[in-house]
Structure formats: structure tokens, C-alpha cells
Amino acid sequence: MPFPDVLRTAYARSLNAYLSNQLDMAATLAALKPQLPPTLLQNRMQLAGLHHEALAALLEAGNLSPSTLMRAGDLLAALQDEQLQALEASLTTRTWHRLFDHFPLPVWSFDPQNLKIEYGNVAALELYGYPADEWVGMDVRQLATTDTAVAWQDYLVQAPCQKVAMERFTQPVAWRHQTKAGVPISVHVSLARLELCAREFCVAVAEETFGRQQREEQFRRMQRLEAIGQLTSGVAHNFNNILSVIQGYAEMIGARSSQLDARLAKQRSAILTAAKRGAELVRQLMIFSRKSDSVALVQDINPIVTETALLAERILSARVTFTRQLHPEALFVSIDAGQLSQCLLNLIVNARDAMPEGGVLTVKTTHHFLTEDQLIPSPERIRACATPPTPGAYAVIEVSDTGIGMSAETRHRLFEPFFTTKPAGKGTGLGLAAVYGCVTEAGGFIEVESKLGLGTTFYLFLPIAEADSSLVPRARLSWRPTGNYVGLTALVVEDEPDLLELVCEWLTDAGFKVLSAQTAEEALHHIVAQSGKPIHLLVTDDILPEGGAQRVFQDMAREYPNCRCILISGSFGARDRATDLPLDTVFLAKPFSENELLHAVKQVLTEKKPE
């Protein structure tokens, strides 16, 4: 390409001054670089062409010795070397910026000699309130408040900025900084001294103390929740065994007795009510710990909300105006209908209790598309989620009231298990924890907006799912079981003696010949002792002493491949395990009633196992 005369003349003048020893190499380079366009410095061929044109002009003007020509070559090589270094520095800078521009924590770099800031990412500019053109070139010492300026300067020029092994960052140190507007902020700062492209600079990573405290508190909260979840899974199995026995015998008192006096009937009803409350408490704990055997089906939430609202109207006082507003189109999500209904009831009851003098309670469903800009909740809301939300379509259930509202402290503890603002005996503190478990298990999240005296709104965000007609839940059987199984043999394996006796009694009344075992070893003895006599039905817990249920299933599948099975369990994950067993199996969750057991018997003996 042709070069402008001004550029050609300037280069020839500097080259001549260098070759005639008027300027040394460093001075020549310093004089040339400001005159060369950046595009020229980035193109080796163009730079060499300009050099050769200037050299040719000097050759025409006079004699140049071989040593002088060699010196001219040295100048070109030096220019090209600096050109290469500049390209490397530019590439490194662009890579650095791409890496840290959108890093969630504030990051900036500065020269350790003059302490001038050279770079700041988006988070740093937002935290300190500076535009990029003011931030770059500012003295890093200006970040400190007046009362900490001396200590901050000492910190910058001493050990933390010295190069350390492997360029590791120093431990975070707490400082008081200030924004451009002069507002004090508390930050934790880590420093490292790095070397790139033959130059050293310092990198600072800051974390606002409030955000750090939030993350530490969230981590501690997650540890507490995990500990409670482990405790829940450990006791749920045994607790459900006990509840099964209590509930089962209480139901038998009424079913086997034609007449009960009023006092005994009332006591039986109280026992059943207490057992059901206990079962519901365990279920809420399991939902909260995300270890419940829920059945998540893709279904429209509008009918669930409608049914739950109709049920809730019975528990609301006349002073509460209850309205529901449903999205005109179906909102399909993958969720357990029973859990979702329980969540809504929990929220409705809380809303009712927040309006002792009456008010307006509204349940609403909407369709919402979450954009990238909405991934961070508005300042008026708090968000509870197990994993960060992703952009996409969500079904949103809103439950709002015009009640007393909540303080900031209460809002931030809402979903802690056993935390409640209700008087002793009026609440377990598990309702909202169960709501959190249900929503997050479905892949969603919760947002809460509340102010003292201005009411509260809960927003349940549930990811929209593709509708599948094959996943629509079937209606519950209304059949009432009778003793139709005379001549059939059942083997019952359960390590809880009272529950074992109860199940055996129910099956005997239904006509079965019943074999019973408390351990896997005892069950295997029965299998051997039958000597080819048929066993038509196996009813077993999945957690057994002396080998476990898997061993029983293996022997039963080998000796009685046509045997059918009912897996009874009060532990999490059992429903999933039931689908992988070698025999045709249905799952029955503890606690269960006689009617539920015999429904399961009918299902497994008369219906083909789904493919």
C-alpha cells in the first residue's frame, strides 16, 4: 500500500538520525512509535515495506556501509519485536477482560508502582459507582474512607502486593471503602501480584460484607436443613410403622364392631385423627427434606388450585373475602398434585391467620416468561431457591393477603424448619419449609414480597412442562374389598412385630393363607419349606434385617416367577426401587389402611403391570 509522504519522511528522518549516530536505539524507538499509526504497528509486512522505502531513499542519497545496513536491520528487528510484544499485550488484555468483565465479584487491577487503576469489571463499577472512563487512571488510594486512608495505603505497598508463590491471592481483609458519591461500604479485599507480557500488576478481588454474610448464612442454613433432612430420613421409616399400627387397629375397632357407645366412638375418632396428623407431619418433613416418595406427573395446575380453593373456603371466616383468578389457558407443570394442594393450603392458612380482623385473600395463576434481566429479584422481594433460576416459561401461583405483613427478620427466616411466629401449640413451623421442599423439588423457586401493615404475597414459580396425556393421573378406586382370595397363599415380611400381625390379620380376613416373617432369613426359610407349593403374593418392607428385601426378591423370583408383590415402606426412594424389582410389584406407602392394602392386592393380582 502507498504510504503518506509525511509518514515516509518522518521515518526516513528518524532512520537517518539513527544511522548517523545522532540518536541511539532507545531514543530512535521513542521518536518513531508516536508517529506510526497503530494499524501499521500491527502489520509486520507494512512496517517492513515502510522501512525498506526509507532505506532505499537513503541509499540513493549517499553511500551506506555494510555495517550501517546491518544497524538498519537491527532497528527494523527492534521495531518488529516491540510490535509483537504489543500484540501479545493486546490479546492478553482482551482475554483478561472477557474472563472478568462479568465475573460476579468486583475485580480491578492497578500498577503497583504508581497505584493507578488500569481495569475494572462491571461488578466493580457498579459497587463503587464510577463510569469506566473515570475509574481507569484513578489512584486506588482514593477508594478508602478518610479514617482508613493511611492503613489502606500501607496495605497496598507492603506484603499483600508482593509476588507470592503460584500467584495466589492473599486472605481477604476487611476494609471501609467509599463510593463515588461518598457512601461508605464494607468490603473484604484479596490481592495478588501477577506477571503478564513482561510486566507486573496487582489484581484485587472485593466482596461486599453484606453479600458475604448472606452467602455464609445461606451455607449455614443449608447445613442445618441437610442435618434435619438426614434426621428425617432416619426416623420416618420407624415412625410410619408405629403410625400404621395405631391407625390400623383404630380402624378395625369400628370395622369389626357393629356397635360402639358414643364415648368409645369418640375415642376411636381421636386416635385416628392423631394418627393422620402424625402421618401428615412426617410427610411434611419428607417433602421439606426433598426425600418424599412423591409422584410428579405433568398436569394442569388450574384444577388443583380450584379444588384446593374450594376446600379452603370452609376454613375461612366470614370476615375474609376470598377470590381466585385463574389463567385462561392450561398451565402444565411436573409436580405431585397432593403436595401442591398441601402447599396451597399451608399458604392460605397462613394468610388467614395474618388477617385476624379480616381482609382480602387472593389466589391467582399466571404465565410468566423469566428473562435474563429478571434473574436477580427486585429489591422488594426475597427469593428462596435450591439452584439459581434459569430463563424460561414458568407457571406462577400467587397467594396474597392484606394482613399484618412481616418484618425483614421474619422474611429472611421464613423457610427455616420449625421457625414460626405463631404462639406455642398453634403451629409446627414446618408448613413453609414443606412448601419450599415441594416447589424446589419441582425445579421451581419462591419469591416473597411483604411489608409490615401492608400484607404479603407469595409467588410460586414452577417450570412449564410439555403436556402428556399418558401421564394424567387415574381416578382412585372406589371398590370396597371383600374376602375373595380363599385358596391363595401370601408371605408377609415386616420387621415391626405389631405391624406384621396387623397385616397378617387383614390378609387372613380376606381369605389368604398367610405366612409371616420378621427377617429376610425367616422369609427364605418359608420359601424353602413350601417345597413347590405356590406363594401367590409377597408383601414385604424394603428395609429388613439379615439381608434385606433384595435377597427375598431374588429367591422369590427364582422359585416363584409368577408371584406378585406389594412393597410397603415408609422410607424415601422406595417407590423408585419398586419399579426395578424382578416381580410384578406395586408400591404402598406407610401408613396405610386395610382398604388401601386390599386395593393394592386387587391391583397387583388382577391388573397387568404397566410396561
Side-chain angles (χ1 to χ4, degrees):
M1 62 167 285
F3 299 103
D5 291 339
V6 174
L7 177 60
R8 190 184 295 108
T9 301
Y11 191 92
R13 186 184 302 111
S14 296
L15 178 61
N16 185 53
Y18 170 67
L19 295 178
S20 61
N21 294 318
Q22 298 176 25
L23 295 174
D24 59 13
M25 176 72 77
T28 304
L29 292 175
L32 271 176
K33 284 191 294 185
Q35 302 180 67
L36 301 178
T39 54
L40 181 63
L41 285 173
Q42 294 173 10
N43 192 309
R44 295 176 65 87
M45 295 296 295
Q46 289 185 11
L47 181 63
L50 176 64
H51 177 83
H52 290 143
E53 282 191 19
L55 187 60
L58 292 177
L59 284 170
E60 291 178 4
N63 295 324
L64 294 177
S65 65
S67 60
T68 304
L69 291 175
M70 290 181 62
R71 290 188 68 215
D74 291 342
L75 177 63
L76 177 60
L79 272 172
Q80 290 180 332
D81 185 58
E82 290 210 3
Q83 177 191 57
L84 180 61
Q85 291 182 18
L87 284 172
E88 290 179 349
S90 175
L91 178 61
T92 301
T93 299
R94 289 198 299 270
T95 303
W96 172 272
H97 288 186
R98 283 198 301 269
L99 181 62
F100 288 106
D101 272 351
H102 298 287
F103 191 68
L105 296 179
V107 177
W108 72 86
S109 64
F110 61 94
D111 188 317
Q113 303 302 320
N114 60 24
L115 301 182
K116 297 293 185 182
I117 294 176
E118 299 177 343
Y119 165 78
N121 70 353
V122 173
L125 299 179
E126 289 179 350
L127 176 63
Y128 289 94
Y130 283 91
D133 57 344
E134 291 186 30
W135 180 263
V136 175
M138 186 177 72
D139 194 314
V140 73
R141 288 170 290 194
Q142 292 179 231
L143 299 180
T145 56
T146 304
D147 57 322
T148 63
V150 175
W152 173 242
Q153 176 172 321
D154 292 343
Y155 175 73
L156 292 173
V157 300
Q158 293 176 3
C161 271
Q162 300 308 309
K163 195 171 184 178
V164 293
M166 301 298 293
E167 287 85 24
R168 289 191 298 267
F169 279 87
T170 61
Q171 289 295 319
V173 178
W175 291 101
R176 278 173 55 80
H177 283 178
Q178 59 184 349
T179 66
K180 178 185 178 181
V183 178
I185 53 175
S186 297
V187 293
H188 283 74
V189 178
S190 300
L191 295 177
R193 186 161 179 161
L194 306 181
E195 181 176 337
L196 289 174
C197 300
R199 67 178 295 269
E200 292 185 346
F201 60 97
C202 282
V203 179
V205 178
E207 185 175 16
E208 193 174 7
T209 301
F210 178 69
R212 181 187 181 94
Q213 290 172 341
Q214 279 188 317
R215 281 182 281 275
E216 290 175 349
E217 177 57 32
Q218 184 179 28
F219 177 70
R220 288 192 292 269
R221 186 182 300 115
M222 290 175 64
Q223 286 182 312
R224 291 197 298 270
L225 300 187
E226 179 62 24
I228 293 172
Q230 293 293 337
L231 175 64
T232 299
S233 62
V235 303
H237 178 75
N238 291 331
F239 194 27
N240 277 322
N241 280 342
I242 296 170
L243 290 171
S244 294
V245 175
I246 295 172
Q247 180 177 306
Y249 279 113
E251 289 178 344
M252 285 180 64
I253 292 173
R256 303 299 192 269
S257 302
S258 57
Q259 292 183 345
L260 293 177
D261 62 48
R263 182 180 180 188
L264 185 58
K266 183 177 180 181
Q267 292 170 346
R268 171 183 174 273
S269 177
I271 293 171
L272 285 172
T273 300
K276 290 177 181 177
R277 286 181 62 190
E280 179 59 28
L281 183 62
V282 173
R283 195 176 75 87
Q284 286 186 342
L285 280 169
M286 296 294 278
I287 293 172
F288 151 70
S289 62
R290 303 184 72 191
K291 293 177 178 178
S292 62
D293 280 307
S294 59
V295 182
L297 299 177
V298 177
Q299 51 200 310
D300 181 10
I301 63 170
N302 281 332
I304 302 173
V305 173
T306 299
E307 293 175 6
T308 306
L310 292 173
L311 177 63
E313 286 179 340
R314 304 174 187 172
I315 62 174
L316 299 177
S317 71
R319 291 176 294 181
V320 173
T321 301
F322 185 38
T323 63
R324 63 177 184 271
Q325 304 169 20
L326 301 182
H327 189 68
E329 299 177 359
L331 298 171
F332 287 97
V333 303
S334 178
I335 200 165
D336 180 271
Q339 288 188 6
L340 179 58
S341 179
Q342 185 62 49
C343 289
L344 292 176
L345 281 175
N346 285 336
L347 294 176
I348 290 170
V349 168
N350 286 347
R352 177 202 65 185
D353 294 345
M355 299 184 292
E357 303 302 322
V360 179
L361 195 161
T362 303
V363 176
K364 181 180 179 182
T365 62
T366 58
H367 181 280
H368 179 78
F369 191 90
L370 190 70
T371 65
E372 290 279 356
D373 296 338
Q374 296 169 330
L375 292 182
I376 299 176
S378 64
E380 294 79 19
R381 298 185 185 182
I382 65 165
R383 176 179 291 170
C385 54
T387 57
T390 56
Y394 289 82
V396 183
I397 303 175
E398 299 179 24
V399 179
S400 61
D401 65 68
T402 57
I404 58 177
M406 292 180 282
S407 65
E409 179 184 1
T410 299
R411 288 198 302 272
H412 285 93
R413 297 189 62 189
L414 273 180
F415 301 101
E416 288 187 16
F418 306 113
F419 171 76
T420 178
T421 57
K422 296 180 180 179
K426 295 295 185 181
T428 62
L430 288 171
L432 290 179
V435 173
Y436 170 83
C438 174
V439 172
T440 55
E441 189 172 18
F445 61 95
I446 304 172
E447 290 186 354
V448 184
E449 187 173 347
S450 181
K451 292 183 180 179
L452 284 174
L454 297 178
T456 300
T457 302
F458 283 82
Y459 302 87
L460 311 186
F461 286 78
L462 301 167
I464 292 290
E466 290 293 330
D468 186 343
S469 59
S470 66
L471 295 178
V472 176
R474 294 179 297 175
R476 293 180 61 88
L477 294 170
S478 58
W479 166 80
R480 176 65 186 175
T482 57
N484 295 326
Y485 304 105
V486 176
L488 301 185
T489 301
L491 172 59
V492 182
V493 192
E494 168 59 59
D495 60 335
E496 175 61 44
D498 292 333
L499 182 56
L500 174 63
E501 182 179 349
L502 178 64
V503 173
C504 288
E505 186 172 349
W506 283 342
L507 292 177
T508 300
D509 288 348
F512 283 97
K513 174 187 174 183
V514 179
L515 308 173
S516 64
Q518 286 187 247
T519 66
E521 195 65 37
E522 289 181 20
L524 299 180
H525 284 311
H526 279 302
I527 294 172
V528 173
Q530 281 295 93
S531 301
K533 297 177 184 178
I535 297 178
H536 304 89
L537 177 67
L538 171 65
V539 180
T540 180
D541 196 341
D542 68 329
I543 300 177
L544 295 171
E546 300 181 11
Q550 191 63 37
R551 185 180 172 194
V552 177
F553 272 104
Q554 290 171 354
D555 280 43
M556 287 293 293
R558 183 176 61 252
E559 298 295 331
Y560 303 101
N562 294 322
C563 180
R564 302 299 179 92
C565 176
I566 298 173
L567 184 68
I568 55 176
S569 180
S571 63
F572 67 89
R575 186 186 299 274
D576 293 333
R577 292 192 290 273
T579 62
D580 299 327
L581 295 174
L583 299 173
D584 282 0
T585 305
V586 297
F587 174 75
L588 185 58
K590 298 178 180 177
F592 51 84
S593 66
E594 178 184 14
N595 197 37
E596 289 171 328
L597 172 65
L598 295 182
H599 272 304
V601 171
K602 179 178 182 291
Q603 179 183 352
V604 77
L605 291 181
T606 62
E607 296 183 9
K608 183 180 178 181
K609 182 180 180 182
E611 296 296 333

